[in-house]
Amino acid sequence: ASETFFNGRDAGGVITEELSLYDQHYLTFSYRKDYASALGAKSESIGYPGIRFATRLDRLSFVPEQFNLLKFRMAYGESGMLPGHEDGVPLLWSGNAGGAGGGANIYKYGNEDIEPERISEIEFGLDLTWENLLSLELTKYNQWAENSIVYAPLAPSLGYGNVSQPINIGSMEMEGFETLLKVTPLNKKDMRIDLTASYSWNENEVTEM
C-alpha cells in the first residue's frame, strides 16, 4: 500500500475580440494567459497572443460570379506545452522502507528556472468554391519552437541518484503545405457524388541543440 499527496495550482484566461466590416472583412484578436505552480518560482506565468484576418474576395465586383466563395486568410498565433506540475520544485523526497528501517530517497530534482514551451506559427491560406462543383483549400504555414522541455539525466557524481532534471533546450523551425480538393460531379435530389483528394508536405529542422 502507498499514499501520494500533491499540491498544484493552475489558472488561466483567454480574451478574444472579433471585428467584422461589411460582413466581408474579419479580424480577430486573442490573448491567452496561463498561471501554474508547475512553472517554477522564477517563471510564474506565460502569455500566448494571436491574430487572424480573413477577407471575402468573391464579394468584390470584378470577381466572376461563378465563385461562390473566394476567401483569403492569414493568421499568427502562439501556443505551447506547460511543464509537469512537479517540474518547478527544486527537490522532492519519497519514503522508502528497507532492511535497516524506514528512510527517504530523492524522488525528483526539479528546476526553478523551468519555462513553458513556446511555439509560434504564421499561416496563409486561400479557400474557393466554383459553381458549387469544385472546392479547393490551400494552406502554407511556418512554425518556430523554442524552450522545448527535455528531461536530462544528472551525473551520478552529483549524489542525487538515478534522477533526471527538466531543462529548456533547443529550437526548431518547421514549414509545411496542405491542400484539399473536392469535386462534385453529380448533385441530384436523390443522389450526390463527391470526390476528395488531399495532399500535405512538411519539413522540420533543428536549428539549435
Side-chain angles (χ1 to χ4, degrees):
S2 65
E3 291 183 338
T4 301
F5 297 92
F6 65 89
N7 180 10
R9 297 178 301 278
D10 298 276
V14 177
I15 183 171
T16 302
E17 177 68 24
E18 298 181 356
L19 306 175
S20 174
L21 181 62
Y22 306 124
D23 199 24
Q24 179 180 351
H25 310 290
Y26 309 93
L27 185 63
T28 302
F29 299 95
S30 64
Y31 188 77
R32 166 186 157 197
K33 189 75 169 179
D34 287 334
Y35 302 87
S37 56
L39 298 180
K42 299 181 180 179
S43 177
E44 298 180 349
S45 66
I46 182 70
Y48 296 115
I51 181 172
R52 298 188 299 272
F53 171 76
T55 181
R56 292 283 301 269
L57 302 176
D58 55 289
R59 295 181 177 176
L60 300 176
S61 58
F62 59 84
V63 176
E65 297 181 356
Q66 289 84 354
F67 281 102
N68 304 109
L69 173 68
L70 182 60
K71 180 174 71 174
F72 171 77
R73 50 185 165 81
M74 61 182 299
Y76 173 82
E78 296 182 359
S79 64
M81 295 291 296
L82 298 179
H85 90 268
E86 297 173 342
D87 288 350
V89 181
L91 195 61
L92 287 176
W93 298 81
S94 65
N96 183 52
N105 288 339
I106 292 177
Y107 165 69
K108 189 164 187 176
Y109 187 79
N111 183 356
E112 289 185 295
D113 296 318
I114 196 70
E115 296 183 5
E117 177 187 48
R118 185 183 295 274
I119 298 177
S120 306
E121 176 177 290
I122 187 169
E123 176 183 298
F124 300 91
L126 184 68
D127 304 329
L128 66 88
T129 302
W130 179 269
E131 291 190 334
N132 293 320
L133 297 177
L134 183 146
S135 298
L136 180 64
E137 298 179 10
L138 302 172
T139 302
K140 174 68 171 65
Y141 64 88
N142 288 79
Q143 294 181 340
W144 299 267
E146 59 183 9
N147 284 337
S148 297
I149 300 174
V150 174
Y151 295 87
L154 295 177
S157 59
L158 295 176
Y160 294 108
N162 185 25
V163 296
S164 299
Q165 182 185 31
I167 58 175
N168 296 112
I169 64 169
S171 59
M172 180 182 294
E173 294 182 2
M174 297 154 280
E175 63 175 323
F177 176 80
E178 298 175 350
T179 180
L180 178 67
L181 175 65
K182 180 180 177 181
V183 180
T184 307
L186 181 62
N187 188 7
K188 301 294 185 180
K189 183 177 181 180
D190 56 349
M191 181 178 293
R192 178 187 175 98
I193 297 178
D194 290 326
L195 303 176
T196 304
S198 62
Y199 173 80
S200 63
W201 167 86
N202 67 80
E203 184 178 61
N204 305 329
E205 179 184 359
V206 177
T207 56
E208 182 183 350
M209 293 294 291

